[in-house]
């Protein structure tokens, strides 16, 4: 499970801009973007792995059940989804999906930082002339 408090404080540090660190942040921005995009891709990879595990687990649960003939497919699907293994995987998938959404929002924030830095520089330039 991801510690969102830790991520939030790290993001706050990565996105903090003031007059003293403006040039430093401008130079570090590509590396900061890479760090967060890398985390996003890693979570997407983890999601794909969990979805494959879920598919295999469903097949395993299906093969372990004694299925009498004439059972409706919907009832069978519901029974499989209620199994402990599948429920646990569903929770892990949901957690990763939330984390992916968070990292996508972070990427949007970092994308806009380029414009924010440009605007700050422009404001500073106007103030000094």
């Amino acid at each position: 499970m991801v510690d969102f408090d830790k991520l939030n404080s790290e993001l706050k540090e990565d996105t903090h801009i003031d007059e003293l660190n403006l040039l430093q942040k401008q130079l570090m921005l590509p590396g900061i973007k890479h760090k967060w995009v890398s985390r996003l891709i890693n979570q997407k990879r983890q999601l794909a792995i969990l979805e494959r595990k879920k598919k295999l687990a469903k097949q395993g649960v299906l093969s372990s059940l004694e299925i009498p003939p004439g059972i409706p497919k919907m009832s069978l699907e519901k029974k499989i989804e209620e199994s402990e293994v599948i429920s646990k995987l569903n929770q892990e998938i949901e957690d990763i999906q939330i984390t992916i959404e968070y990292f996508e929002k972070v990427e949007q924030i970092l994308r806009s930082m380029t414009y924010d830095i440009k605007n700050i520089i422009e404001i500073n330039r106007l103030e000094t002339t």
Side-chain angles (χ1 to χ4, degrees):
M1 180 123 198
V2 175
D3 182 359
F4 282 104
D5 291 333
K6 182 180 173 192
L7 288 174
N8 282 332
S9 67
E10 190 175 341
L11 179 63
K12 188 175 183 178
E13 184 180 314
D14 284 346
T15 57
H16 175 76
I17 300 173
D18 58 34
E19 288 184 23
L20 297 175
N21 74 355
L22 184 62
L23 180 60
Q24 178 188 13
K25 286 295 179 182
Q26 187 177 22
L27 295 173
M28 291 178 60
L29 191 55
I32 292 170
K33 286 180 182 178
H34 177 269
K35 175 177 75 173
W36 289 96
V37 169
S38 160
R39 289 177 177 174
L40 171 62
I41 297 303
N42 186 42
Q43 290 297 302
K44 287 184 176 187
R45 290 178 64 221
Q46 291 297 322
L47 178 61
I49 289 169
L50 282 175
E51 287 175 344
R52 283 193 297 272
K53 279 184 182 179
K54 180 180 173 182
K55 185 177 179 181
L56 291 173
K58 275 185 171 183
Q59 292 171 352
V61 169
L62 186 59
S63 66
S64 71
L65 292 175
E66 304 249 345
I67 306 166
I71 297 291
K73 187 174 182 178
M74 292 300 288
S75 296
L76 191 57
E77 276 290 323
K78 184 177 178 188
K79 192 72 169 170
I80 291 171
E81 287 293 323
E82 290 173 351
S83 72
E84 185 178 333
V85 173
I86 301 299
S87 294
K88 184 180 176 198
L89 284 170
N90 282 337
Q91 182 60 49
E92 288 180 39
I93 287 170
E94 185 178 311
D95 291 343
I96 286 188
Q97 287 172 332
I98 291 169
T99 305
I100 287 171
E101 183 180 346
Y102 175 82
F103 285 139
E104 287 172 341
K105 301 290 184 191
V106 168
E107 192 216 356
Q108 290 173 354
I109 290 168
L110 293 173
R111 198 176 317 133
S112 73
M113 269 185 72
T114 304
Y115 302 106
D116 295 337
I117 289 172
K118 178 182 171 275
N119 290 338
I120 292 169
I121 292 170
E122 191 62 33
I123 288 170
N124 286 342
R125 186 176 305 140
L126 291 172
E127 286 178 350
T128 58
T129 57

